Amino acid sequence: VATMRDLRKRGPLEKAAGDSLNKTLEIKQLDACCEASIRECVNSLPDRRVDVLVNNAGVGMIGPLECQSITAMKELFDTNFFGLARLVKELLPDMKRRQSGHIVVMSSVMGIQGLLFNDVYSASKFAVEGFCESLAVQAMKFNIKTTLVEPGPVVTEFERKVYEDAEKMDLSGTDEETAKIFREVYLPYSKKVFASLGQTPEQVAEA
């Protein structure tokens, strides 16, 4: 079962699924920011059984801290951290009862080391790392595996949107020197890193 918040955007996923669609793959609606949506999706599964949970819901944020609103920071944490917490909270009791399960979490190399102008995003991934490392100790007692995936640059629509938003960012909230470093140093260099070192999602999956 694959899930997404907005089923109107399922076209590319259905195309990628090919002949497996509605045979070995079903697409369901799920909003990681809504407990009721998560429960409704899980309840629609036979015996609520989820053998492997793959959590890859996430949003990005780059730019000078002074230019980010607290509301936007909270929204990022609501998806990147609390979205994971909601999913695990819903599924962990079932996995414990069955004495089996595997929780796979898409983290980031920025959950290990922070990066310039990625303050809030890195903080959310550090939270994910601490959550999973702590949970793994308890989960082992119930034969539940926990896996953190910590990729570096990955070229996806996610990355494209983050840079698109950064190009339009209002930098009036910061000083001229910081704005110049962000625009003239960080953005061009970061794009070069993605262009030269960025992996495809397929390469990450194979690894």
Side-chain angles (χ1 to χ4, degrees):
V1 176
T3 66
M4 57 197 319
R5 182 173 54 190
D6 186 354
L7 288 177
R8 291 173 298 180
K9 298 180 179 179
R10 65 178 180 254
L13 181 56
E14 288 180 335
K15 183 178 179 181
D19 293 339
S20 65
L21 186 64
N22 296 323
K23 294 178 182 177
T24 58
L25 176 68
E26 185 177 357
I27 302 173
K28 291 179 175 287
Q29 194 277 337
L30 183 149
D31 182 354
C33 294
C34 175
E35 289 182 77
S37 172
I38 292 170
R39 186 163 297 117
E40 182 180 351
C41 182
V42 174
N43 285 343
S44 73
L45 303 174
D47 300 322
R48 288 176 46 96
R49 188 178 184 97
V50 176
D51 295 311
V52 181
L53 166 66
V54 180
N55 182 87
N56 66 343
V59 294
M61 178 185 289
I62 59 176
L65 183 67
E66 311 95 297
C67 301
Q68 313 287 359
S69 70
I70 294 297
T71 297
M73 295 181 197
K74 288 180 176 179
E75 288 174 353
L76 181 143
F77 264 83
D78 199 31
T79 298
N80 291 8
F81 175 71
F82 289 106
L84 167 64
R86 291 184 191 99
L87 284 161
V88 172
K89 184 173 180 289
E90 182 67 31
L91 290 170
L92 188 62
D94 294 336
M95 289 183 172
K96 283 182 173 181
R97 279 193 291 271
R98 292 195 303 269
Q99 296 275 308
S100 70
H102 191 172
I103 299 169
V104 181
V105 180
M106 291 301 298
S107 181
S108 167
V109 69
M110 279 187 271
I112 303 171
Q113 180 175 343
L115 183 65
L116 178 68
F117 294 123
N118 283 266
D119 322 275
V120 180
Y121 179 75
S122 290
S124 73
K125 292 303 182 179
F126 267 79
V128 165
E129 295 273 331
F131 176 83
C132 291
E133 288 178 9
S134 298
L135 180 70
V137 179
Q138 177 196 159
M140 286 174 61
K141 265 305 232 187
F142 296 89
N143 197 35
I144 302 167
K145 298 178 181 178
T146 307
T147 300
L148 274 166
V149 183
E150 299 158 333
V154 182
V155 181
T156 64
E157 181 68 15
F158 175 95
E159 170 255 346
R160 186 199 64 77
K161 187 177 185 307
V162 167
Y163 282 108
E164 188 178 87
D165 291 345
E167 295 286 354
K168 298 181 292 186
M169 180 178 291
D170 178 8
L171 297 176
S172 60
T174 191
D175 58 276
E176 289 184 12
E177 185 176 0
T178 299
K180 184 176 181 180
I181 293 170
F182 179 65
R183 287 270 196 232
E184 300 180 17
V185 179
Y186 171 79
L187 282 178
Y189 176 75
S190 185
K191 287 179 180 178
K192 285 182 181 178
V193 169
F194 268 92
S196 60
L197 300 177
Q199 294 177 287
T200 66
E202 290 77 16
Q203 288 172 323
V204 174
E206 289 173 4

